[in-house]
């Protein structure tokens, strides 16, 4: 079943075609926001010195390593920056790099200023446009090492991120802040994220293990997420138990298995409409055979969540966490 979904339809295709080819000639797969591929550990090999005053500044040259294991050295702050995925674009804008951004993906819709930036392609990234942008560094999310190397062979300085946890998202923002000499901005963003995370942790800390609600998330018709992805951590951090948590990564569900799991809450992304029937995702969920016996449906606990907040491992991921916690435990989040 095909869905019209500005965020998740792209994601679903990306999952199914992880090795799809790039650009106009179809030579390489475009980066995905989230994929089932395992990420390599990300870190930096030459840390900027600790702050000795009020202003945090990066000392160059700075050598860092991306999620594909490639090291690169920056002799100075990049003057021209591009992004191939919405999560990376949100990070760059959050760090105040509007003027430095010379290109974004076709799927970028936040913040508003991203819509007017030159486009570098969507699922099929436009290699010609990327080269023409002549960016000092191009950021992407969840691109595998082989496809990343093909872009690098074209002379593109590509930095790939693939955070799998909320902490990893924050660490990644700090790392981008170091690369771009925006450490103070990165600290402010991360501090806000930590406050949002703490607000949820405090609100749900009283929920006993035996009382935790079982939560099922559906982001495109018949697709959900298991353990090992940041969205699974969001459910856990919100005080819930992932009904699909016994399986790794992103996968197509067994309807019978979800019935057996009997979730207390079903969350669905708010931007999915079935192309053939024009039905929304919650309508499709409720009409499935036997699903009327699931507690969440019987108790009218089928709740929409903002697709972008839930899907993008960027600076708004903790806002997505808050929305999930409000959906699962409204009495604790809205006392």
């Amino acid at each position: 079943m095909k869905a019209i979904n500005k965020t998740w339809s792209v994601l679903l295709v990306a999952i199914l075609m992880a090795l799809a080819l790039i650009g106009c000639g179809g030579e390489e797969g475009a980066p995905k926001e989230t994929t089932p591929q395992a990420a390599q550990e990300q870190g930096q090999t030459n840390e900027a010195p600790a702050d000795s005053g009020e202003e945090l500044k990066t000392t160059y040259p700075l050598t860092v390593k991306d999620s594909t294991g490639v090291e690169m050295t920056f002799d100075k702050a990049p003057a021209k920056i591009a992004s191939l995925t919405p999560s990376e674009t949100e990070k760059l804008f959050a760090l105040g790099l509007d003027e430095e951004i010379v290109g974004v993906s076709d799927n970028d819709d936040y913040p508003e200023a991203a819509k007017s930036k030159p486009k570098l392609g969507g699922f099929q990234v436009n290699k010609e446009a990327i080269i023409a942008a002549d960016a000092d560094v191009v950021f992407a999310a969840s691109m595998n090492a082989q496809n990343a190397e093909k872009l690098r062979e074209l002379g593109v300085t590509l930095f790939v991120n693939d955070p799998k946890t909320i902490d990893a998202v924050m660490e990644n923002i700090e790392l981008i802040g170091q690369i771009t000499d925006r450490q103070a901005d990165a600290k402010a963003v991360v501090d806000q994220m930590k406050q949002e995370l703490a607000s949820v942790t405090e609100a749900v800390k009283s929920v006993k293990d035996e009382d935790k609600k079982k939560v099922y998330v559906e982001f495109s018709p018949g697709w959900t997420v298991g353990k090992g992805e940041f969205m699974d951590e969001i459910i856990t951090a919100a005080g819930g138990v992932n009904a699909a948590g016994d399986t790794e990564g992103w996968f197509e569900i067994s309807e019978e298995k979800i019935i057996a799991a009997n979730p207390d809450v079903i969350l669905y992304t708010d931007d999915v409409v079935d192309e053939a029937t024009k039905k929304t995702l919650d309508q499709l969920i409720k009409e499935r055979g036997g699903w009327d016996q699931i507690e969440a449906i019987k108790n009218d606990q089928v709740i929409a969540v903002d697709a972008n907040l839930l899907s993008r491992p960027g600076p708004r991921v903790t806002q997505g966490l808050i929305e999930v916690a409000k959906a699962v435990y409204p009495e604790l989040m809205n006392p």
Side-chain angles (χ1 to χ4, degrees), residues 218-287:
E218 187 160 328
F219 56 83
S220 193
W223 283 78
T224 192
V225 61
K227 59 186 175 182
E229 301 292 341
F230 76 90
M231 197 181 297
D232 174 70
E233 187 197 16
I234 285 177
I235 294 172
T236 301
V241 176
N242 188 356
D246 59 348
T247 304
E248 293 271 358
W250 309 87
F251 59 94
E252 196 166 11
I253 64 169
S254 160
E255 293 188 9
E256 294 76 15
K257 189 173 181 179
I258 301 303
I259 294 172
N262 194 24
D264 301 293
V265 178
I266 294 176
L267 304 179
Y268 68 95
T269 49
D270 61 0
D271 63 348
V272 177
V273 178
D274 179 61
E275 191 174 63
T277 65
K278 307 304 180 185
K279 292 180 179 179
T280 57
L281 187 50
D282 60 320
Q283 291 175 311
L284 298 175
I285 289 171
K286 292 175 181 178
E287 291 175 359

Side-chain angles (χ1 to χ4, degrees), residues 113-239:
K115 297 179 181 180
S116 61
K117 291 292 183 179
K119 298 301 184 287
L120 305 179
F123 173 62
Q124 293 286 334
V125 300
N126 187 331
K127 63 180 181 182
E128 288 82 6
I130 294 172
I131 294 171
D134 193 29
D136 297 315
V137 61
V138 177
F139 290 98
S142 303
M143 178 183 284
N144 66 43
Q146 181 180 8
N147 290 341
E149 183 57 31
K150 290 180 180 179
L151 269 183
R152 290 172 178 137
E153 289 173 356
L154 297 174
V156 176
T157 300
L158 180 71
F159 192 94
V160 182
N161 297 307
D162 193 12
K164 297 292 186 180
T165 65
I166 296 173
D167 280 347
V169 173
M170 293 190 288
E171 290 168 3
N172 173 237
I173 290 171
E174 291 175 332
L175 181 54
I176 294 176
Q178 289 184 344
I179 292 171
T180 59
D181 198 16
R182 295 298 178 104
Q183 292 194 61
D185 299 279
K187 183 179 185 303
V189 171
V190 169
D191 284 349
Q192 178 63 34
M193 293 176 70
K194 288 179 178 179
Q195 290 177 14
E196 291 167 347
L197 174 60
S199 70
V200 174
T201 302
E202 179 66 22
V204 303
K205 70 178 183 180
S206 62
V207 181
K208 298 178 181 178
D209 287 346
E210 59 269 25
D211 296 328
K212 289 183 176 180
K213 293 181 181 179
K214 194 174 295 184
V215 180
Y216 167 70
V217 175
E218 187 160 328
F219 56 83
S220 193
W223 283 78
T224 192
V225 61
K227 59 186 175 182
E229 301 292 341
F230 76 90
M231 197 181 297
D232 174 70
E233 187 197 16
I234 285 177
I235 294 172
T236 301

Side-chain angles (χ1 to χ4, degrees), residues 7-203:
T7 301
W8 288 111
S9 61
V10 174
L11 171 62
L12 180 55
V13 174
I15 293 171
L16 294 173
M17 301 181 65
L19 297 179
L21 300 178
I22 256 186
C24 300
E27 294 178 9
E28 181 181 359
K32 286 77 65 183
E33 279 305 289
T34 42
T35 73
Q37 294 175 335
Q40 298 185 33
E41 184 176 354
Q42 175 178 308
Q44 68 176 69
T45 58
N46 182 23
E47 296 185 0
D51 180 30
S52 59
E54 292 185 1
E55 187 177 9
L56 293 167
K57 300 292 294 181
T58 299
T59 298
Y60 297 96
L62 176 72
T63 300
V64 292
K65 181 188 295 185
D66 79 348
S67 67
T68 65
V70 171
E71 286 188 359
M72 58 197 75
T73 298
F74 294 90
D75 293 325
K76 60 182 180 179
K80 298 169 67 177
I81 302 170
S83 167
L84 301 183
T85 36
S87 63
E88 304 313 292
T89 299
E90 290 199 19
K91 292 170 188 174
L92 297 175
F93 273 99
L95 297 182
L97 292 163
D98 189 336
E99 294 299 319
E100 287 79 5
I101 298 172
V102 296
V104 299
S105 86
D106 294 355
N107 303 313
D108 286 6
D109 57 7
Y110 186 92
E112 187 68 24
K115 297 179 181 180
S116 61
K117 291 292 183 179
K119 298 301 184 287
L120 305 179
F123 173 62
Q124 293 286 334
V125 300
N126 187 331
K127 63 180 181 182
E128 288 82 6
I130 294 172
I131 294 171
D134 193 29
D136 297 315
V137 61
V138 177
F139 290 98
S142 303
M143 178 183 284
N144 66 43
Q146 181 180 8
N147 290 341
E149 183 57 31
K150 290 180 180 179
L151 269 183
R152 290 172 178 137
E153 289 173 356
L154 297 174
V156 176
T157 300
L158 180 71
F159 192 94
V160 182
N161 297 307
D162 193 12
K164 297 292 186 180
T165 65
I166 296 173
D167 280 347
V169 173
M170 293 190 288
E171 290 168 3
N172 173 237
I173 290 171
E174 291 175 332
L175 181 54
I176 294 176
Q178 289 184 344
I179 292 171
T180 59
D181 198 16
R182 295 298 178 104
Q183 292 194 61
D185 299 279
K187 183 179 185 303
V189 171
V190 169
D191 284 349
Q192 178 63 34
M193 293 176 70
K194 288 179 178 179
Q195 290 177 14
E196 291 167 347
L197 174 60
S199 70
V200 174
T201 302
E202 179 66 22

